[in-house]
Structures are given as structure tokens and as C-alpha cells.
Amino acid sequence: MWIAELSRQTEVPVATIKFYLREGLLTAGESVGATRARYDDAHVRRLRLIRALVGAGGLSLARVRGVLSAVDEETRELHDVLGTAHGALIPETIEASPESLQKVDELLTDHGWLVDENAPDRALLASALDALEKVGYQLDSTLLDTYLVAAEQVGNADVAHLPTDDRAHTVESTVIVTALGGPVLLALRRLAQQNASARRYGAVRGRPCP
């Protein structure tokens, strides 16, 4: 396909595609002349991945380049690629108290989770616990365990649902579900809270959606 068709399929402007080509985020197409090139489905998938990371993921081009580098390194384990995607989506500087970090470590150990001790999400969770405590709300162990069990089910389902037809597709899907899955979970959680509230308090507007 020509660049115009690539633009139509991905809904990425031609000028943006050319920018990604210049920046090395998108590989060049097959040259068929001095100024023309053909593109294929691999370019479609890569553009959609970049769009997910830059748009919904809100990543800088520098961070996108780091994720794509991990994606393209064929000898790299998929588990490491997932970790790279996680790290790119997290603020570079995270402040967390030693007490909350210890609480997180104990929680993960108690549930037997295999998590890298340097995983940035470990510090992010501890920081979130600190933020709750600062406003006078502390998650008790029962509720925190409930969150963990629910998160484990979601994480297991995410990984099990990844395609296995080829490595490139698997890696791209891994990064996309990492970048875009959060808003889905957040929306579902809020909807679940509305449902639970309606059932508990008997809200007049609490009825099944059509």
C-alpha cells in the first residue's frame, strides 16, 4: 500500500507518518522509486502501537523509542518487554515512604507473587498508599487483599489472552494492553461501584442497563 492508504487505515496523518519515519520510530517502506515506497501490515501494526503509546499512553517520543527498542530486540524475553512497557508508563521519579514500601513487599510475599524487587510499580503502589494515608484514609488489610486478588485475576487473564501466533504480534499486544488497559479497568471499577451503591442504598436510578 502507498503512504496515503497507510494513513487512511491507521487514521494517522501523512505528515505524522513522515515524521515518525524521519525519527526512526517507523521503518522505511519498500522503495519503488526516488520518492515512493510501499508499506505493509507490519507498518499498520507499528503505527497503531505508536499511536497507542503517544496518544492514550501519553508517552514522550523518547520513552516510545525505548519501548519500541525493546519490542524490536528479538532475543529479549517477553517478560522483560512487559517490564519495559510498565516502566515507560510510570513517572520517572516516585516518592514512597519506607513503611509503605515494606507493606507492599510483605503483601506481595504473603501472596507469593513473583515480582522484581526493582519493579517501579512496587514504588508506585507504596506511593499511592502514602497518598491515601495523608488524607486520613488507610486501606485495611482485608480491603487491600481483596484488591490484590482481583488484580491477580485481571493480570492472569491479560497474559493468558495474549496471542501466540508470532512473536511480533504477541509483543505488540503486550505493550498495547499495558498502555490502554488501565482506563478500561478504571471505568469498570466505577461502574461496579455505582451498581453496588444502587443495590445497597436502593437508588431509584439504580437499574440494569438496557
Side-chain angles (χ1 to χ4, degrees), residues 51-87:
R51 187 182 182 193
L53 293 172
V54 172
L59 300 188
S60 66
L61 290 184
R63 286 198 165 196
V64 170
R65 186 174 284 105
V67 174
L68 295 181
S69 176
V71 168
D72 291 336
E73 191 176 336
E74 294 186 357
T75 59
R76 195 160 186 174
E77 296 291 338
L78 291 178
H79 181 69
D80 292 337
V81 176
L82 179 61
T84 299
H86 286 173

Side-chain angles (χ1 to χ4, degrees), residues 16-90:
T16 303
I17 294 175
K18 290 181 177 179
F19 173 73
Y20 291 155
L21 287 167
R22 290 195 301 271
E23 290 293 312
L25 299 177
L26 185 68
T27 57
E30 178 189 0
S31 178
V32 292
T35 60
R36 304 195 75 185
R38 284 197 177 96
Y39 302 90
D40 56 24
D41 289 341
H43 291 93
V44 172
R45 292 201 309 268
R46 175 52 61 91
L47 269 177
R48 287 174 175 165
L49 176 58
I50 295 172
R51 187 182 182 193
L53 293 172
V54 172
L59 300 188
S60 66
L61 290 184
R63 286 198 165 196
V64 170
R65 186 174 284 105
V67 174
L68 295 181
S69 176
V71 168
D72 291 336
E73 191 176 336
E74 294 186 357
T75 59
R76 195 160 186 174
E77 296 291 338
L78 291 178
H79 181 69
D80 292 337
V81 176
L82 179 61
T84 299
H86 286 173
L89 293 165
I90 292 175

Side-chain angles (χ1 to χ4, degrees), residues 87 90-97 101 119-128:
I90 292 175
E92 294 182 5
T93 303
I94 304 173
E95 294 183 2
S97 68
L101 286 170
D121 278 298
R122 167 182 167 271
L124 187 64
L125 175 55
S127 178

Side-chain angles (χ1 to χ4, degrees), residues 138-171:
Q138 190 171 29
L139 291 178
D140 61 39
S141 58
T142 300
L143 185 56
L144 196 53
D145 282 344
T146 300
Y147 283 176
L148 186 140
V149 171
E152 184 171 34
Q153 292 177 336
V154 172
N156 288 341
D158 280 343
V159 174
H161 193 67
L162 292 173
T164 58
D165 49 355
D166 67 81
R167 185 186 186 280
H169 192 194
T170 301
V171 170

